[in-house]
Amino acid sequence: MEVYSITVATGTSEYSGTNNYIYVTLVGERGESERTLLDNPGLDFCRGAVDQYRVTSKAPLGRLLLVRLEKEKYFVEDNWFCRYVTVEPPGGNKLLTFPCYRWLIGNAKVEIREGAAKTLVEDSSARLLQHRRNELQERQNTFRWVTWAPGIPRCVDAKTEADLPQDVRFDNEKRSDFEHSLHYALLELSLKKLAITFGKSWNDLEDFKRIFWKLRSPIAEYCMDHWKEDWFFGYQCLNGSNPRMIKRCTKLPENFPVTSDMVQSSMPAKTSLEKELRAGNIYLLDYAIMEGIPANTIKGKPQFIAAPLCLLYQHPDEGLIPIAIQLEQTPSLDTPIFLPRDPPLAWLLAKMWVRHAEFQVFQVLSHLLRTHLVIEVFCVATLRQLPAVHPIYKLLAPHLRYTLEINCRGRTQLISPNGIFKRVVSTGGDGLLILAQREYKVLTYRSLQPQFDFSDRGVFQLPNYFYRENALMLWEAIHSFVSDMVNLYYRSDQDVQKDPELQAWIRDITEEGFTELPKFGLSNTLSSKEELSTLLAVAIFTSTAQHAATNNGQFDWCAWVPNTPCTMRLPPPSDKDAITMEMIMATLPDVGQSCVQMAITWHLGRAQPDAIPLGQYAEEHFTEPTAMELIEKFRMKLKEIEEQILDQNAGLDLQYLFLLPSRVENSITI
Ligand SMILES: [Fe+2]
């Protein structure tokens, strides 16, 4: 009789434990063990438990291939989340770990493999090859592509999050926190709204203070005090929620006829616009993509959208400052060029219009499209094409956690025909989809790689561009980590070319996910280790750092509503001299819209209570010491970056900590 000692680890989140019957069978090269009911005295499979059992077999099983787990109902159905199983074969042989990290629901059976990562060519056993095929077949039936809307990346076929399998759903704590937080924020702010609606006036910018929530955001408070200052406007182009919009300008666009005289007063006497254009100190924000986007109608009232151009100057003493703003793309008598020397309210309103365009571009394009939707393509393709034993599945899985559910919730609650965008945002309704479709048409794989993004925008010279500096450090660390991992599992470029699962994965990404994108620039085959490493770095960088950079500051930059208004209720001004405070207040979001803007940006931007930081792998898919060492090396590098960023920020009034590794989540979960 052969005796195998095993341990079975149950999940740590709520409702992971079960009182149902659990059976285990060990499957070896030379046969199967007894099908054994796992039953110790007392309760088995409690939440967080690691229970020990003995499994016997009449004859030696040879090399262990699989562990089969079966769950059977005991009176009532009770789902079980199994983390892993370890097996110690007789004779003190090496302990084997079989990662599971799956739910068993109903009368369920799963077979799990030992943790050593294997590409297809490394598997010779017919049984294991069949296991790979079955797993993929099942996943392809479960996770199907669907076109939610044309002209944007395709996504998972699920009408709501309830259609998703439990394995990709939020755990119970996350779900209740998510739902509670939104209700709490909306309720809290609707009470404020009520107090104002039936109480005092809403006719001065100071009135926004009455709904302003401090909520432990020093940046939001700083914003409230400094938002009118030109340097602060410039700072947000570099380190705000949308740090990828600013470009160097070496020649003025023809539709933006700024003259030297207009901007001379913003520059030291010894220089001029021409000189500064040549010196590379002039920058541009161009929101051409907003032109003609249909504006929302909210409660019967039309909202308004502009497509501004804003010129900025890297001033030797004052830093980056805006020096000219035109609110539409076509110059005319009705679209004056606003200047800092104009009446203060005129200049302020012009800047607000730029910031309003910024809200739309940052939410719909930089955040939703370029992180959430891009990463969903990787999620679906990875689930469909890579078995759990594949090294690239193991590498990516932690960076794809919860993304399908948050995106489903986004589609049903945020951008749906009656979602939050429709209720309060100027691009709500048809606008946001058209906006996303325009960006998607010109989206390039190159622009998802930070070093190219910065060089293509010509922004390497800009000082105090903390986002750039931190993003490059993280990119470097991630790229080096994934290259090490790729080198561990692929000896040569041919190994990459000859991995049919990997090639099916890249085809799924390019042909099923990123459809209708002839200029995207990502080939549908992977021909080298370097190509694979870069693609993995793009996926991990986008799902971690880039998402954190655009998501986590939402409340900080938008809580003070005049700084980043979600909608505008009057058209852009055409006469600089006619601008009054009354007009500004009638233009900015009303009390109700402002309350929702604060509530939703708080809900989506706040640190998640169950966040797993970048590089921390709560689920240990890799079990080999070589892979674990590389993960440890990556963590050490992240620790160094953490210290470097903290040093960089020491003593700064306005700190840039969005890319602090401990604050960057390992995947898009919100
Ligand atoms: Fe997000």
Side-chain angles (χ1 to χ4, degrees), residues 367 372 547 551 670:
H367 177 209
H372 281 253
H547 179 257
N551 183 85
I670 187 69

Side-chain angles (χ1 to χ4, degrees), residues 314-515:
Q314 177 61 40
H315 192 287
D317 308 318
E318 294 168 38
L320 185 69
I321 49 167
I323 55 171
I325 293 171
Q326 180 181 293
L327 297 182
E328 295 294 358
Q329 292 286 308
T330 311
S332 79
L333 281 179
D334 286 341
T335 41
I337 293 178
F338 291 83
L339 303 167
R341 63 173 195 227
D342 287 341
L345 289 185
W347 180 235
L348 188 64
L349 184 56
K351 286 190 289 180
M352 286 181 196
W353 270 102
V354 176
R355 299 288 309 163
H356 164 259
E358 184 80 341
F359 183 97
Q360 316 306 323
V361 167
F362 125 67
Q363 283 293 18
V364 180
L365 308 183
S366 304
H367 177 209
L368 177 69
L369 174 69
R370 298 178 69 102
T371 68
H372 281 253
L373 299 185
V374 161
I375 290 304
E376 185 162 355
V377 169
F378 285 90
C379 286
V380 177
T382 303
L383 287 162
R384 286 171 54 83
Q385 304 297 348
L386 301 177
V389 75
H390 196 286
I392 304 306
Y393 178 91
K394 287 173 184 274
L395 183 63
L396 285 182
H399 301 290
L400 308 176
R401 175 177 180 252
Y402 290 162
T403 306
L404 292 181
E405 171 148 358
I406 192 64
N407 283 6
C408 281
R409 285 178 180 267
R411 283 189 281 272
T412 54
Q413 294 165 21
L414 207 60
I415 58 172
S416 52
N418 50 8
I420 288 171
F421 263 65
K422 179 62 194 158
R423 281 160 47 202
V424 298
V425 179
S426 61
T427 51
D430 299 336
L432 67 95
L433 180 60
I434 298 173
L435 190 58
Q437 287 165 332
R438 281 185 188 174
E439 176 80 357
Y440 183 63
K441 252 189 210 153
V442 294
L443 177 71
T444 62
Y445 176 52
R446 183 178 166 89
S447 71
L448 299 174
Q449 299 170 55
Q451 77 283 24
F452 293 136
D453 172 45
F454 296 122
S455 64
D456 292 350
R457 291 191 288 119
V459 293
F460 268 111
Q461 263 185 35
L462 273 168
N464 301 323
Y465 199 171
F466 305 120
Y467 161 74
R468 181 195 62 212
E469 290 164 25
N470 298 358
L472 287 172
M473 285 195 270
L474 288 176
W475 168 264
E476 201 44 56
I478 292 168
H479 192 274
S480 149
F481 167 58
V482 296
S483 302
D484 285 350
M485 283 298 216
V486 165
N487 283 329
L488 188 60
Y489 294 103
Y490 294 93
R491 273 160 304 157
S492 66
D493 291 344
Q494 278 86 347
D495 284 357
V496 171
Q497 294 157 16
K498 288 183 179 153
D499 180 343
E501 290 168 340
L502 195 67
Q503 298 297 339
W505 175 71
I506 186 71
R507 278 198 306 279
D508 227 21
I509 290 172
T510 53
E511 293 170 8
E512 296 293 337
F514 295 121
T515 51

Side-chain angles (χ1 to χ4, degrees), residues 521-592:
L522 176 64
S523 162
N524 62 358
T525 55
L526 281 167
S527 56
S528 67
K529 294 201 285 182
E530 177 50 37
E531 277 178 22
L532 173 59
S533 301
T534 298
L535 182 60
L536 294 170
V538 163
I540 296 177
F541 177 82
T542 307
S543 62
T544 58
Q546 190 60 13
H547 179 257
T550 56
N551 183 85
N552 298 1
Q554 291 185 66
F555 183 75
D556 295 324
W557 306 113
C558 303
W560 182 249
V561 173
N563 182 56
T564 322
C566 60
T567 189
M568 295 298 238
R569 294 180 295 140
L570 286 181
S574 54
D575 178 359
K576 293 180 186 185
D577 295 317
I579 293 163
T580 60
M581 182 51 74
E582 209 181 351
M583 182 196 275
I584 288 180
M585 289 304 284
T587 302
L588 286 172
D590 65 20
V591 184

